[in-house]
Amino acid sequence: MATYTIKRALGAERTYRIDYRAELNDAQYEAATTLHGPLLVVAGAGSGKTRTLVFRVARLVESGVDPQSILLLTFTRRAALEMLRRAEGLLADGGLDAVTGGTFHSFANTVLRRYGRMFGWPERFSILDRGDAEDTINLVRARLGLDRTERRFPRKQTLATIFSTAANRNLRVAELVEREHLHLIDDVEDILGCQAAYESYKRERALLDYDDLLIHLRDRLRQHDEFRERLRSVYRHVMVDEYQDTNHLQADIVAALGAPDGNVMAVGDDAQSIYGFRGADFRNIMEFPQRFPGARLVTLEENYRSSQAILDVTNAVIGQAKERFAKTLFTRRSGGARPQLVPAPDERWQSLFVRQRLLELHEEGVPLSEIAVLFRSSFHSFDLELELARSGVPFVKRGGFRFVETAHVKDVVAHLRVIENPRDAVSWHRILLLLEGVGPKLASAVVEWLADGDRGGAALGEFPGAPGSRGRGIGTVRQLGAFLATLDPGRAPTALVQQVVDWYRPVLERIHRDDAPKRLRDLEQFAALAERYRELAAMLADMALEPPADSVGDVMAVDVEEGEMLTLSTVHSAKGLEWHSVFVLAVADGRFPSAYSVDEDEIEEERRLLYVACTRARENLILTYPSLVHERGVGPVVARASRFLSELPDGLLEHVTLVDEV
């Protein structure tokens, strides 16, 4: 491998194996070689953000930084692994496997388990996924009698959303209810009581939900000087990807780890901050220079994805933003057709046009897999879906339940979780209620009996029964105990999964009779997934923190591979992806921006959402909207092009008029 010698100010020299100047453009080079002090990299869409991060990791290691002192925080585990894999390709023997990379939640999980003894943390705890958290809330809700009030009390899903949103936005629950759930204001005292009971229940049983992981890490960093300094001494270089998507908790954790003058690199794009509904705060990236005084700002503007004609439109869309970091995307590519704006008489015409145009593109040699139809809200594509089905155009629509959220996978995971944490009452309730003859009353009695004696699952073989319980239920409980006694937590996870699946199969065939074969295929995939792990605890943590994507049975039943399918997707689900040709549906006021976006911050996020949609396209961008829309309870309503498009200078868009030949 060639080496490159860089002369430094004091005459000393350092030899690098990578020619960073040749591999990176000027802005990328500046970002990758600025190694000390706070650094904010504002990376425009398609500007090589990941490449810059990868080369910066390599540069740190080549400059003598211990890989173990590098922390790379991302929003998916896959992103972190991909970056480290690419960096390893640059430095084959660089020891990059020692770099800590992962999500905020997985990092919090690791740190709390590793350093918990410093502040009296329990050695073992279970992580509740969203479904488990909702079930727990429902349990305490019932215990408080809030399921039997005269007025309808909020459902478990609503309560879980309120509790989580308040935590991520750093708000009190009462304040959030007053701001965004005013119709629940009469219930606020009971909601607070339910929250207190939920927190107490988790604390007593060593349970943490997703938000707890971040809250406890942030609080420990704030309150324990020794712990905070220990982490700072371990992780001397902190890098954060997609910083515009951080919430208050995550931004506080970054600040605590890095200190105001620390080596913190945040990479993101204010123009792509679109997850406010999840608690992400646009202010975090905008205020990074204030939170880290003296921070260096580097802007990546050269785009390697889209034609200049498309970039001219996206620059103009985001150029109207009320607040932003100034940047103008450009490309060295030549050519490119002007993006089109296509008003259609109604939604039916819109669907006919999109179907015809995408088939023309396909005939011109563009694979269906390189074409996407994006939309603000899922229902905007319903008419198009019917038209595509009638025409035999295969498509996949992004969304639906994740693999681990399916009932049958959660059932199997629950069996494994009680092996790891016998105090996990949520999982106990789930698996007990699968048994014939066991209802909520008997299940609660069993859980209380286990807790009273601090017993494990094998003890169920000796369960004495409960007042009023029937023999059949007691018998199945004891059978469960006999089965759990055969499970050795020290065995390989794949063997444990297969044991549980074999036990669970008759249950699945009884309660999911209509689609048991499809669900069994999912469980076969689960067993294969388990082969990646050596320890049960690691697998369960990943199942909670980084669940696999989709159920096998959820894939559309068509006679082509998914790679040959057209993609239909909400814009939120399309972020980070790109296609040769992109259609954006329903770009009309009331649809895009949504009629539910009323205040300035919400409208500005809608503008950024359109920017994200348009920057997914490489060669063709086609914006369309129905001039007449049907509103439920109102009837036909005249629609106009989105206000975001009416602001654009003349000549950026080609205006297309549809005629009867469509």
Side-chain angles (χ1 to χ4, degrees):
M1 180 181 291
T3 60
Y4 301 88
T5 300
I6 310 298
K7 293 185 177 180
R8 296 188 287 176
L10 298 179
E13 295 184 348
R14 180 177 293 279
T15 300
Y16 294 98
R17 288 179 286 173
I18 300 170
D19 187 351
Y20 294 90
R21 277 287 186 192
E23 295 286 349
L24 304 170
N25 66 36
D26 289 346
Q28 291 173 338
Y29 178 81
E30 182 181 358
T33 58
T34 300
L35 306 184
H36 300 288
L39 170 67
L40 175 62
V41 179
V42 178
S47 62
K49 167 181 68 73
T50 301
R51 181 177 180 81
T52 303
L53 279 166
V54 167
F55 274 85
R56 188 174 192 269
V57 172
R59 181 72 170 212
L60 283 168
V61 174
E62 282 212 87
S63 298
V65 172
D66 184 349
Q68 294 185 75
S69 70
I70 301 173
L71 172 62
L72 175 60
L73 294 172
T74 62
F75 277 82
T76 67
R77 185 183 181 198
R78 180 182 299 176
L81 293 176
E82 174 63 16
M83 288 183 199
L84 295 178
R85 183 191 66 79
R86 289 172 59 177
E88 189 70 48
L90 297 174
L91 299 173
D93 56 347
L96 293 179
D97 55 341
V99 173
T100 299
T103 67
F104 279 89
H105 292 88
S106 63
F107 174 68
N109 172 60
T110 298
V111 167
L112 291 174
R113 292 183 190 275
R114 181 177 298 167
Y115 298 103
R117 290 184 180 179
M118 294 180 66
F119 39 81
W121 195 258
E123 292 186 12
R124 288 190 171 188
F125 58 86
S126 292
I127 302 170
L128 300 175
D129 65 15
R130 180 56 181 250
D132 295 326
E134 290 175 357
D135 289 343
T136 305
I137 290 170
N138 205 41
L139 181 65
V140 299
R141 175 177 177 267
R143 286 186 175 182
L144 294 173
L146 296 174
D147 58 340
R148 300 188 299 274
T149 56
E150 293 182 3
R151 64 183 185 276
R152 185 176 178 182
F153 193 70
R155 297 177 303 166
K156 62 180 183 180
Q157 295 89 345
T158 302
L159 293 169
T161 297
I162 290 173
F163 299 162
S164 180
T165 302
N168 286 300
R169 293 186 185 174
N170 200 25
L171 296 172
R172 292 179 294 106
V173 166
E175 185 179 0
L176 180 67
V177 171
E178 186 174 350
R179 284 187 185 184
E180 300 182 12
H181 303 272
L182 196 57
H183 61 292
L184 300 177
I185 196 67
D186 291 340
D187 295 310
V188 70
E189 291 302 323
D190 286 336
I191 291 174
L192 293 174
C194 189
Q195 182 196 26
Y198 174 54
E199 296 300 329
S200 176
Y201 188 93
K202 290 184 294 179
R203 191 165 48 249
E204 292 169 0
R205 291 161 178 80
L207 301 172
L208 273 69
D209 61 26
Y210 287 162
D211 301 318
D212 292 331
L213 289 168
L214 301 186
I215 290 169
H216 284 295
L217 176 57
R218 181 201 61 186
D219 291 349
R220 301 294 86 73
L221 284 168
R222 284 178 171 177
Q223 298 164 6
H224 293 267
D225 295 345
E226 181 185 355
F227 171 61
R228 183 177 61 254
E229 294 309 315
R230 171 76 67 85
L231 283 193
R232 286 179 178 176
S233 67
V234 172
Y235 302 110
R236 296 183 177 276
H237 291 268
V238 179
M239 302 168 66
V240 188
D241 190 19
E242 304 286 11
Y243 193 74
Q244 79 280 349
D245 293 334
T246 55
N247 58 37
H248 282 278
L249 290 170
Q250 292 159 336
D252 287 346
I253 289 169
V254 173
L257 288 173
D261 58 348
N263 299 322
V264 178
M265 177 197 196
V267 182
D269 184 6
D270 55 295
Q272 297 187 70
S273 178
I274 61 173
Y275 294 115
F277 68 97
R278 293 182 184 170
D281 191 345
F282 172 73
R283 306 300 321 159
N284 286 345
I285 190 168
M286 300 307 298
E287 294 174 357
F288 184 92
Q290 288 74 48
R291 196 157 198 175
F292 294 89
R296 190 166 181 174
L297 174 64
V298 177
T299 304
L300 305 186
E301 297 177 289
E302 183 171 355
N303 180 280
Y304 296 91
R305 176 187 300 157
S306 305
S307 68
Q308 189 62 52
I310 292 174
L311 295 179
D312 289 342
V313 171
T314 61
N315 286 332
V317 167
I318 205 62
Q320 299 295 323
K322 303 296 182 185
E323 185 178 8
R324 66 190 182 95
F325 287 109
K327 63 178 179 298
T328 302
L329 298 183
F330 69 92
T331 181
R332 300 180 192 276
R333 294 173 50 194
S334 59
R338 276 191 303 165
Q340 296 179 327
L341 177 61
V342 187
D346 56 27
E347 289 187 274
R348 171 72 173 144
W349 274 68
Q350 177 180 248
S351 299
L352 289 171
F353 164 72
V354 171
R355 184 262 296 165
Q356 176 176 304
R357 185 71 186 102
L358 69 86
L359 289 177
E360 289 173 353
L361 287 168
H362 188 49
E363 290 173 2
E364 293 167 10
V366 182
L368 283 180
S369 60
E370 277 291 334
I371 304 174
V373 181
L374 308 182
F375 29 86
R376 169 64 182 85
S377 300
S378 185
F379 74 90
H380 294 169
S381 71
F382 287 174
D383 188 84
L384 176 62
E385 291 173 44
L386 294 175
E387 179 57 34
L388 294 174
R390 279 192 293 266
S391 304
V393 178
F395 66 90
V396 60
K397 186 174 182 180
R398 296 187 175 275
F401 283 102
R402 294 180 298 181
F403 174 83
V404 78
E405 292 172 340
T406 55
H408 46 295
V409 174
K410 286 180 70 70
D411 290 343
V412 171
V413 170
H415 285 79
L416 300 171
R417 284 174 49 163
V418 298
I419 302 171
E420 176 64 17
N421 178 10
R423 292 190 291 167
D424 187 344
V426 175
S427 293
W428 275 121
H429 275 280
R430 185 177 191 94
I431 64 178
L432 287 166
L433 290 173
L434 295 172
L435 304 177
E436 289 187 276
V438 177
K441 185 175 181 180
L442 179 55
S444 295
V446 172
V447 173
E448 289 179 9
W449 180 77
L450 288 170
D452 287 344
D454 199 21
R455 302 177 176 92
L460 288 179
E462 303 170 4
F463 178 63
S469 58
R470 298 181 180 180
R472 185 183 185 190
I474 295 173
T476 56
V477 168
R478 290 173 178 169
Q479 289 171 11
L480 173 64
F483 165 68
L484 294 176
T486 68
L487 297 178
D488 178 4
R491 294 191 68 189
T494 186
L496 289 171
V497 170
Q498 194 57 59
Q499 270 188 275
V500 174
V501 169
D502 291 341
W503 159 266
Y504 175 69
R505 183 188 299 265
V507 178
L508 182 146
E509 292 173 343
R510 171 170 52 84
I511 62 180
H512 299 293
R513 180 179 177 184
D514 292 343
D515 59 356
K518 182 196 77 171
R519 293 175 185 267
L520 285 171
R521 286 198 299 273
D522 279 344
L523 296 179
E524 290 170 3
Q525 181 176 334
F526 184 16
L529 179 150
E531 293 179 1
R532 308 175 193 173
Y533 297 90
R534 295 181 179 179
E535 297 177 355
L536 179 60
M539 187 187 78
L540 293 176
D542 276 4
M543 291 296 291
L545 296 168
E546 287 287 335
D550 296 315
S551 164
V552 170
D554 291 338
V555 175
M556 182 171 293
V558 294
D559 295 329
V560 295
E561 296 297 324
E562 183 174 330
E564 300 175 45
M565 293 183 185
L566 169 74
T567 296
L568 305 185
S569 176
T570 62
V571 182
H572 286 103
S573 296
K575 185 172 177 292
L577 304 176
E578 62 181 74
W579 293 269
H580 177 280
S581 300
V582 170
F583 296 81
V584 186
L585 293 184
V587 190
D589 262 359
R591 295 290 179 92
F592 210 148
S594 166
Y596 297 103
S597 298
V598 291
D599 66 34
E600 185 174 288
D601 288 345
E602 292 170 338
I603 293 295
E604 287 302 295
E605 181 158 318
E606 294 283 307
R607 184 192 307 279
R608 298 192 294 269
L609 195 62
L610 180 60
Y611 173 84
V612 168
C614 294
T615 53
R616 302 308 95 198
R618 296 199 300 271
E619 301 294 338
N620 296 310
L621 173 62
I622 302 155
L623 307 167
T624 181
Y625 69 94
S627 299
L628 203 64
V629 298
H630 187 85
E631 295 291 351
R632 183 178 179 184
V634 177
V637 176
V638 175
R640 296 174 180 164
S642 170
R643 69 192 72 177
F644 304 139
L645 300 182
S646 64
E647 298 167 347
L648 301 184
D650 293 338
L652 292 184
L653 294 172
E654 177 188 353
H655 293 260
V656 177
T657 301
L658 300 184
V659 293
D660 289 344
E661 282 75 6
V662 172

